[in-house]
Structure formats: C-alpha cells, structure tokens
Amino acid sequence: GNSVTQMEGPVTLSEEAFLTINCTYTATGYPSLFWYVQYPGEGLQLLLKATKADDKGSNKGFEATYRKETTSFHLEKGSVQVSDSAVYFCALTGDTGNQFYFGTGTSLTVIP
Amino acid sequence: KAGVTQTPRYLIKTRGQQVTLSCSPISGHRSVSWYQQTPGQGLQFLFEYFSETQRNKGNFPGRFSGRQFSNSRSEMNVSTLELGDSALYLCASSMGQFPAYEQYFGPGTRLTVT
C-alpha cells in the first residue's frame, strides 16, 4: 500500500540555519510527491511538488528532489527565517490521484 | 482565482446532533476531498468526490457521509455526533486528473462537540 513517513518533530532552529526534514515513502506504481505547509490557524498550502523520478520541486527557497532509488523526498532550505515557522507535511498520491497520503507532519520553530 | 472556501468556519454542537459542512472548490476543479485533522491522529482522509461520484473513501464509520453537486460544491454530513468528532475538517479541491493532482486546501471548519 501507499504510505509516507516523516521525521519526528518538533524541530527548533536558529534563524539562517540549514533545514532538512526527512520524508520517505512506500508506493505502488509511480506516485507524485508533495510538500505542504500549515501556518497556525490556517489550512494547508502547497509548497512544492515533483511528479517523476529525479524531478526537483522548489518554491520560496525550499527544495526537494524525488529520489526513486531511496524512495525519499527530503525537504531542504539553506537559510530559514522566523516566518518559516509552521508544520510541514509530506504527501503522495498514487497513479490515479484519487487519494492523498499524508505524513504526520513536522513542526518547525525558527528562533531569532 | 478565488480559493477554496469552507463554511462555517467554527461550529459548536452537542453530542447526538448532526452537522453539515460546506465546501466550494476553486473554479474549474472537479475533485473535492475531505480530511479530519486532530492533534492525536494527524490528517485522516474521509472521502473524495469527482464529478458528483465518490471515487474513494477512507476508514470512517457510516455516520460520516458526503455528496457533491453539479457545480462541484460539496457537503459533508456527520450524524449522531460524538465527542471524538471534535476536529478541524479540511476540504481540498483539485483538477483530479493527471498531472494536475495537487490539492488546494480551504481554511477548515473547526467543529467542537460538547
């Protein structure tokens, strides 16, 4: 079946530190992979996506590369800001796109 | 383009009552999915509708039901509310067809059952 495993949080970083949030997946076929971000009191926002192996999704300084050989889609950012404090969700959808599978979310707090 | 809208934003109900939540998708989107988000269970998939048909369903009891109208708007109904149904209910819309599977979420409806 399909599933997503994210690194446990919470993660606390100082401003301008390097961020990595690990995400690995199990899927049949050729899934599409996504990172979503949820700010306090809001719904989820799409951060970036990749639809095939070796694709790199990027947005707002965040990047993630679809690695089929390691079944991973790790989120990275070179220099985090206080405004990046949020909960980050890794997700996949299978071949038909009927259903999304979300990880448990990783809470990030960036301190000045 | 207007985003996904959900009404109401907040709701307080009593155990045993029923509730209906509404979701208006982004114009042109034919797929609407519903999720329950709680601190303990995270995001749990309820069901997905595409062109008025339920395409997929999560593992929730029959008290949770939904429907989609011809304009793609969707409603979710929970009957015989239980305290454990207190949660943030999120609706998401998408084109629902490859390669545009990405879902766009509404702000959610916060349901409190007392």
Side-chain angles (χ1 to χ4, degrees):
Chain A
N2 296 326
S3 67
V4 174
T5 302
Q6 273 183 251
M7 65 183 281
E8 293 284 332
V11 174
T12 302
L13 295 173
S14 297
E15 205 165 22
E16 298 184 4
F18 184 85
L19 168 71
T20 300
I21 300 178
N22 290 338
C23 171
T24 57
Y25 67 89
T26 301
T28 54
Y30 302 94
S32 295
L33 302 174
F34 306 84
W35 277 100
Y36 282 83
V37 58
Q38 185 176 32
Y39 298 101
E42 299 182 12
L44 278 69
Q45 298 177 25
L46 177 65
L47 184 58
L48 53 84
K49 71 172 186 177
T51 58
K52 62 182 187 296
D54 299 325
D55 266 3
K56 177 186 281 189
S58 61
N59 186 25
K60 300 181 182 178
F62 290 90
E63 292 183 341
T65 301
Y66 187 161
R67 302 279 189 207
K68 195 167 177 61
E69 63 275 12
T70 54
T71 62
S72 65
F73 192 55
H74 305 320
L75 182 68
E76 296 182 335
K77 186 175 185 183
S79 175
V80 293
Q81 305 300 313
V82 172
S83 57
D84 294 327
S85 298
V87 180
Y88 292 81
F89 293 89
C90 184
L92 70 83
T93 185
D95 290 345
T96 59
N98 287 9
Q99 182 174 345
F100 267 60
Y101 298 84
F102 283 88
T104 52
T106 301
S107 175
L108 169 67
T109 301
V110 180
I111 54 177
Chain B
K1 253 186 189 178
V4 179
T5 57
Q6 291 187 248
T7 55
R9 291 292 311 278
Y10 302 92
L11 208 47
I12 300 175
K13 290 287 189 178
T14 303
R15 196 169 43 181
Q17 288 185 314
Q18 76 164 20
V19 66
T20 299
L21 312 181
S22 180
C23 172
S24 293
I26 291 171
S27 177
H29 284 189
R30 297 165 64 188
S31 169
V32 173
S33 297
W34 288 90
Y35 297 85
Q36 181 193 68
Q37 187 177 27
T38 59
Q41 300 294 320
L43 269 168
Q44 293 191 283
F45 173 74
L46 281 152
F47 28 66
E48 186 244 1
Y49 287 87
F50 181 83
S51 293
E52 302 180 67
T53 300
Q54 187 181 88
R55 281 202 303 192
N56 211 347
K57 188 176 187 305
N59 190 26
F60 275 80
R63 300 186 297 108
F64 293 82
S65 63
R67 60 178 175 169
Q68 187 179 33
F69 301 96
S70 58
N71 63 357
S72 293
R73 192 177 69 84
S74 176
E75 288 182 347
M76 189 193 96
N77 185 274
V78 187
S79 63
T80 319
L81 283 165
E82 300 177 0
L83 295 179
D85 297 333
S86 294
L88 181 66
Y89 290 88
L90 293 167
C91 160
S93 77
S94 78
M95 295 294 287
Q97 296 173 306
F98 186 82
Y101 287 147
E102 59 267 29
Q103 296 190 341
Y104 296 86
F105 283 79
T109 295
R110 172 75 62 187
L111 172 64
T112 302
V113 182
T114 62

